[in-house]
Amino acid sequence: QLQLVESGGGLVQPGGSLRLSCAASGFTLDYYAIGWFRQAPGKEREGVSCISSSGGSTHYADSVKGRFTLSRDNAANTVALQMNSLKPEDTAVYYCAASAGYYCSPRLSSFEYDSWGQGTQVTVSS
């Protein structure tokens, strides 16, 4: 069974940084594109970023471009989302998800992802 576990969330002040990790168990990430999504209270889930299975291609939502960086370490079976210059509007539960295949679509559609983690809370507040 494919399992994804997110970690690294927490409370941070505006302008601060957090690094989220997504660890896979029960399968190797080598053949999966990975996406990060977030959902704030009362809002729909939105795509944040995705990375192709090789790590050679990434896409970002306009709201996080220039602030977030997605990377992967297939040897360690993990994906990391580095979040800098955080804003209160980044507050949400963040989820990683896996999509079988090489590419990830810039559409960042949750419908393209099959396996999901349980999420980690990120709160940006002073």
Side-chain angles (χ1 to χ4, degrees), residues 29-78:
L29 281 177
D30 294 35
Y31 307 109
Y32 292 82
I34 300 297
W36 280 91
F37 297 80
R38 66 187 182 185
Q39 188 166 19
K43 295 187 177 181
E44 294 186 355
R45 186 172 296 185
E46 65 170 338
V48 174
S49 181
C50 70
I51 188 167
S52 62
S53 60
S54 71
S57 176
T58 53
H59 299 289
Y60 298 92
D62 288 343
S63 58
V64 306
K65 277 182 183 175
R67 301 188 297 121
F68 290 13
T69 303
L70 186 56
S71 61
R72 65 190 298 156
D73 183 347
N74 284 349
N77 227 25
T78 59

Side-chain angles (χ1 to χ4, degrees), residues 105-125:
S105 167
R107 290 191 302 271
L108 297 173
S109 171
S110 61
F111 295 107
E112 298 176 358
Y113 292 81
D114 308 302
S115 300
W116 292 78
Q118 294 300 307
T120 184
Q121 175 71 46
V122 171
T123 303
V124 185
S125 175

Side-chain angles (χ1 to χ4, degrees), residues 3 11-12 15 20-21 25 27 29 40 43 47 63 66 69 73 89 101-102 104 107 112 118-119:
Q3 288 189 329
L11 173 64
V12 64
L20 305 184
S21 291
S25 62
F27 69 107
L29 281 177
K43 295 187 177 181
S63 58
T69 303
D73 183 347
E89 50 263 44
Y102 178 82
C104 71
R107 290 191 302 271
E112 298 176 358
Q118 294 300 307

